[in-house]
Amino acid sequence: MSEAGPHPSPTIEVPRLDTGSSFAKEAYAALKRAITAMDIYDHAREIRLDERRLSEGLGVSRTPIREAMTLLEQEGFVRTRPRRGIFVVRKSKREIVEIITVMAALESMAARLAAERASAGEIAGLRGLMDDFRHGNDGERLAEYSDANIAFHQAIIKMGGCGLLAEMTENLFIHMRAIRKITIHQENRAARSITDHMRIIEALECRDPGLAERLAREHALGLAAHVEQYGDFLDASRGDAQSGATVTPAPTLPAPASGGGKGRGNDDSKGRQR
């Protein structure tokens, strides 16, 4: 991976909660969405989640934040480190390769199903998403293409029309999104990605399930091979983080602008908050 200047500290962007349902449930959903949206491998610093700042940002007490963190830890999104705090989980290179391999199986099946089930409008939408990047300008618009790349993969899963398959990919998406975001800048992967995507779209348009499945699988396994070759930075940053010596936790939640949420369960002494 090429050296670059220091990246700004990552932040979690979460909206203040405004709901009559369980605060813990809503806090869990908001935090999970925010963590999934972060680029967790695009910097060397750990991402620490501060209960006080999250409480202030979401406009609830710390009790529902703690309950949400318990659920997120059970799902593997965060990890508690004694005397250090709660941190977003980052995977090793080997773990990332395994995640991509599993996603190759799931995405290829989604592509097969999409060839059979997706509407012509949905497939046309995929082509429209990629057409804007086909004429050699992706190098100047990598940030835009990175977002389009992620949207493409999300769309394939959705177009498969299998709810369980979509559910199985949900908790892997935080890592897949982050790895796709960082690797798209390496070794001319954007150009190759566009070519692969267009071939998958053509297979969908031809309603060829076998070809769509094979192309989607090969595309994902190509990413796995890339991470295998160029992903040593994953273990380097992970090792630095786990040593506990020089890692500075990144700030995670700037307090949102003033708004709703006042007076909603801000006293933990009152017991379990809703």
Side-chain angles (χ1 to χ4, degrees):
M1 176 181 171
S2 59
E3 293 293 330
H7 294 281
S9 298
T11 59
I12 289 185
E13 301 294 339
V14 293
R16 292 179 73 85
L17 301 182
D18 185 16
T19 176
S21 62
S22 165
F23 286 166
K25 180 179 179 181
E26 295 301 320
Y28 160 79
L31 291 172
K32 186 172 181 178
R33 285 193 300 268
I35 291 170
T36 301
M38 299 183 75
D39 295 333
I40 62 175
Y41 298 103
D42 198 27
H43 49 85
R45 303 170 69 187
E46 287 188 285
I47 303 170
R48 188 170 76 86
L49 304 179
D50 183 271
E51 281 187 5
R52 180 184 62 80
R53 298 187 71 186
L54 292 173
S55 173
E56 293 172 354
L58 290 171
V60 298
S61 73
R62 294 193 188 186
T63 299
I65 299 296
R66 290 168 187 156
E67 294 174 8
M69 290 297 184
T70 297
L71 293 174
L72 290 167
E73 186 157 20
Q74 290 172 355
E75 292 185 349
F77 282 89
V78 302
R79 178 182 295 116
T80 301
R81 292 184 180 165
R83 297 180 299 280
R84 294 191 61 200
I86 301 173
F87 295 83
V88 175
V89 168
R90 297 200 291 190
K91 301 292 188 179
S92 68
K93 183 175 86 168
R94 174 48 48 198
E95 289 170 328
I96 289 294
V97 170
E98 290 178 354
I99 286 172
I100 298 170
T101 302
V102 170
M103 284 295 292
L106 298 176
E107 283 193 341
S108 62
M109 178 52 67
R112 167 177 278 276
L113 295 174
E116 299 170 343
R117 302 177 179 179
S119 70
E122 287 175 319
I123 299 173
L126 271 189
R127 179 173 283 281
L129 187 65
M130 290 291 108
D131 271 345
D132 198 31
F133 299 95
R134 295 179 63 192
H135 306 295
N137 58 0
D138 54 281
E140 300 172 5
R141 302 168 58 198
L142 271 178
E144 291 180 53
Y145 178 69
S146 180
D147 291 338
N149 177 41
I150 291 163
F152 177 90
H153 287 277
Q154 289 178 304
I156 291 290
I157 295 293
K158 182 179 179 181
M159 288 163 57
C162 178
L164 180 57
L165 193 153
E167 182 181 329
M168 291 171 68
T169 63
E170 182 181 1
N171 288 356
L172 301 178
F173 183 69
I174 178 177
H175 303 287
M176 290 300 300
R177 177 191 179 280
I179 286 299
R180 284 183 175 128
K181 196 93 171 175
I182 197 168
T183 57
I184 205 67
H185 296 266
Q186 302 170 345
E187 300 296 316
N188 200 34
R189 280 198 57 78
R192 283 180 284 166
S193 173
I194 293 168
T195 299
D196 287 353
H197 288 180
M198 295 310 301
R199 294 176 66 200
I200 292 169
I201 291 168
E202 289 166 4
L204 296 176
E205 290 171 335
C206 292
R207 301 294 182 177
D208 189 331
L211 180 59
E213 179 180 19
R214 178 174 64 80
L215 292 174
R217 181 173 57 251
E218 290 174 353
H219 177 59
L221 292 179
L223 176 60
H226 177 87
V227 172
E228 189 74 66
Q229 184 172 1
Y230 298 103
D232 288 347
F233 69 93
L234 294 165
D235 291 337
S237 61
R238 180 183 170 92
D240 291 342
Q242 292 184 341
S243 70
T246 59
V247 173
T248 303
T252 58
L253 182 69
S258 60
K262 291 183 180 180
R264 297 185 10 232
N266 288 320
D267 182 0
D268 281 325
S269 66
K270 293 181 181 179
R272 179 184 176 93
Q273 302 295 314
R274 287 199 59 216

